Amino acid sequence: MTIDQFNFAGKKAIVRVDFNVPLDENGKITDDTRIRGALPTLKKILNDGGSVIIMSHMGKPKGKVNPKLSLSQIVDAVSEKLGVKVQFAPDCAKAGAAAAALKPGEVLLLENLRFYGEEEGKPVGIEKDDPAYEDAKKAMKAAQKEFAKTLASYADCYVNDAFGTAHRKHASTAVIADYFDADHKMLGYLMEKEVQAVDNVLSNIKHPFTAIMGGSKVSTKIGIIENLMDKVDNLILCGGMTYTFAKAQGGHIGNSICEDDKLDLALDIIAKAKAKGVNLVLGTDCVAADRFANDANTQIVPANNIPDGWEGLDAGPETRKAFAAAIEGAKTILWNGPAGVFEFDNFTDGSRAIAEAIAKATAAGAFSLIGGGDSVACINKFGMADKVSYISTGGGALLEAIEGKVLPGIAAIKGE
Ligand code: AMP
């Protein structure tokens, strides 16, 4: 079933969205991209004459109630964007009566699903090395089914529009789908768009294909890096991982961030790129700082010869040129992860050079896909969101999809 084929008139739809929006210390939303992303789906249901039960997680409360992660903080913002006064259910597992009372056109937002350990289905308060862990895990899996069944009981149909969590087999993202038949579960518009964007990169690659992987660590990106090696022409590895590569090759990296247990892996990646004829672009110079702060003193030094007491926090000018050269001629571009500590205004030049080159290539006809919270934040910070082809709401989910993995959230609906 697709959302366009379904008529929601008189129906109650339970919709999994990703409203895990960043909040400031006063509980104010600092970036509402994710809420805006779900609006087309929610509005379609309301315009058809249906009612909506919205469910989401926020942060990582790990099965415990945490007022700082309460979705009550976003009720007004969702109401304003939807143009409907949104009701709030303070306990997502006890919202049966509120859901039953919903009339067409009405909206109920459930409290943070992850206040229940059942959402993620991992035992709470017991360590993996505890002999009782396996039993606790089994019990939790059973409880997760019950939790999903309760959520399912609120509605006539289920819509999953949370791409950001589609790589998780949680109660609300996958297990719940078992309680609806194939004609009563579907992907939302945002999810459909995300799947299409991934498909553009995977099955319709136009060469040259340049992938840019940044961020702090190699370890969290290794799966995608290895997978991309078979597809890309240019692979830019930047951000904090630069220094693991520099050290692995005998460089001196001062206080720069480094994964000492990944030095062999870095050498392996370099060798594989060579064997496969991939143009691997690593930082050659960097902006080094004398401390981890925006107003630190800085100097441009070789990425493999950083003085003691200094740390590389951004790509240097020569590196930025090399990035641009590998991006500008590309026809397909994937970017995940910043090239420096972009949260500090004085260390954004590397990420900005990437964003500018992507915008230029996109204007010249390339398909550019940007994903992951930090790269998206970069693009927004530079005001360049309309200069790229597609901005994904997924980080981990996007990378897993591009690795070619089947996402449980999508499989649960499509039955793959
Ligand atoms: P990740 O969560 O692995 O995608 O990494 C994102 C984070 O990497 C951002 O918060 C950046 O500030 C950080 N980052 C990027 N470059 C560096 C660097 N050279 N040193 C330390 N952190 C970095």
Side-chain angles (χ1 to χ4, degrees):
M1 177 59 64
T2 71
I3 183 161
D4 269 330
Q5 290 164 344
F6 198 85
N7 184 353
F8 290 90
K11 299 267 191 274
K12 289 190 172 78
I14 188 155
V15 186
R16 176 55 155 105
V17 296
D18 180 2
F19 281 178
N20 181 26
V21 288
L23 302 175
D24 66 15
E25 57 282 3
N26 302 315
K28 223 175 148 269
I29 298 170
T30 54
D31 183 346
D32 64 0
T33 310
R34 287 176 169 159
I35 297 180
R36 283 188 282 112
L39 291 179
T41 292
L42 301 175
K43 286 189 172 161
K44 145 83 177 163
I45 299 168
L46 295 174
N47 289 342
D48 272 5
S51 52
V52 183
I53 298 135
I54 304 175
M55 57 178 174
S56 177
H57 76 284
M58 177 177 272
K60 294 182 175 161
K62 301 213 161 99
K64 292 204 182 78
V65 174
N66 177 348
K68 284 208 173 96
L69 298 174
S70 172
L71 287 171
S72 61
Q73 300 169 97
I74 68 164
V75 172
D76 289 347
V78 180
S79 300
E80 190 197 313
K81 292 201 168 52
L82 266 182
V84 175
K85 193 164 168 25
V86 171
Q87 303 169 38
F88 185 67
D91 185 336
C92 64
K94 296 197 177 78
L102 280 183
K103 296 191 197 65
E106 291 187 341
V107 181
L108 176 70
L109 172 66
L110 305 184
E111 179 58 289
N112 194 343
L113 296 160
R114 289 192 191 165
F115 284 180
Y116 281 87
E118 285 85 344
E119 164 63 0
E120 293 185 77
K122 281 190 223 132
V124 178
I126 178 163
E127 297 301 322
K128 276 197 178 132
D129 52 5
D130 192 311
Y133 184 82
E134 279 310 309
D135 281 346
K137 198 166 134 191
K138 256 189 223 148
M140 185 46 111
K141 284 285 162 212
Q144 185 184 45
K145 280 191 183 160
E146 280 309 306
F147 181 68
K149 195 173 166 186
T150 301
L151 297 172
S153 72
Y154 301 159
D156 306 300
C157 56
Y158 166 62
V159 183
N160 189 353
D161 213 15
F163 183 69
T165 47
H167 57 319
R168 305 283 181 222
K169 196 171 177 183
H170 292 169
S172 69
T173 62
V175 183
I176 187 174
D178 290 345
Y179 299 96
F180 295 92
D181 65 34
D183 291 336
H184 291 86
K185 54 186 168 189
M186 63 215 90
L187 302 180
Y189 288 122
L190 177 61
M191 197 75 135
E192 282 185 352
K193 259 184 10 189
E194 298 271 8
V195 170
Q196 184 58 48
V198 170
D199 201 50
N200 271 341
V201 167
L202 273 188
S203 53
N204 190 15
I205 301 175
K206 297 207 174 61
H207 292 274
F209 178 8
T210 297
I212 307 127
M213 293 286 132
S216 56
K217 294 180 183 164
V218 192
S219 51
T220 52
K221 307 257 158 94
I222 185 63
I224 184 83
I225 290 173
E226 292 198 323
N227 186 277
L228 284 170
M229 208 78 93
D230 291 323
K231 303 188 175 84
V232 296
D233 304 285
N234 304 297
L235 179 60
I236 298 175
L237 297 180
C238 54
M241 20 181 161
T242 306
Y243 310 100
T244 301
F245 281 88
K247 186 165 179 182
Q249 295 176 92
H252 192 88
I253 60 165
N255 284 350
S256 305
I257 187 171
C258 179
E259 288 177 283
D260 281 319
D261 58 339
K262 294 290 177 291
L263 300 178
D264 287 344
L265 182 66
L267 292 178
D268 192 44
I269 291 171
I270 294 172
K272 273 196 185 135
K274 203 165 177 197
K276 289 179 193 278
V278 170
N279 173 33
L280 179 63
V281 184
L282 290 164
T284 50
D285 61 348
C286 69
V287 183
D290 60 356
R291 61 199 171 93
F292 190 81
N294 188 41
D295 58 355
N297 295 311
T298 62
Q299 58 174 323
I300 308 291
V301 293
N304 62 1
N305 195 10
I306 301 173
D308 288 338
W310 293 69
E311 57 188 308
L313 294 189
D314 197 8
E318 187 183 283
T319 300
R320 301 198 287 265
K321 266 192 213 144
F323 289 171
I327 295 168
E328 278 173 18
K331 286 278 166 277
T332 306
I333 301 166
L334 170 71
W335 181 23
N336 174 274
V341 184
F342 77 101
E343 296 92 336
F344 296 154
D345 285 346
N346 293 335
F347 298 95
T348 55
D349 287 351
S351 302
R352 189 185 296 275
I354 289 172
E356 280 171 357
I358 294 177
K360 214 164 161 186
T362 310
F367 178 81
S368 53
L369 172 55
I370 322 290
D374 288 322
S375 339
V376 175
C378 275
I379 282 282
N380 287 336
K381 186 166 180 159
F382 305 147
M384 292 167 89
D386 58 347
K387 295 195 164 60
V388 300
S389 310
Y390 190 75
I391 295 186
S392 173
T393 54
L398 176 72
L399 297 186
E400 287 197 17
I402 290 181
E403 274 178 58
K405 288 189 187 160
V406 175
L407 303 183
I410 293 172
I413 284 181
K414 294 197 163 173
E416 283 158 4

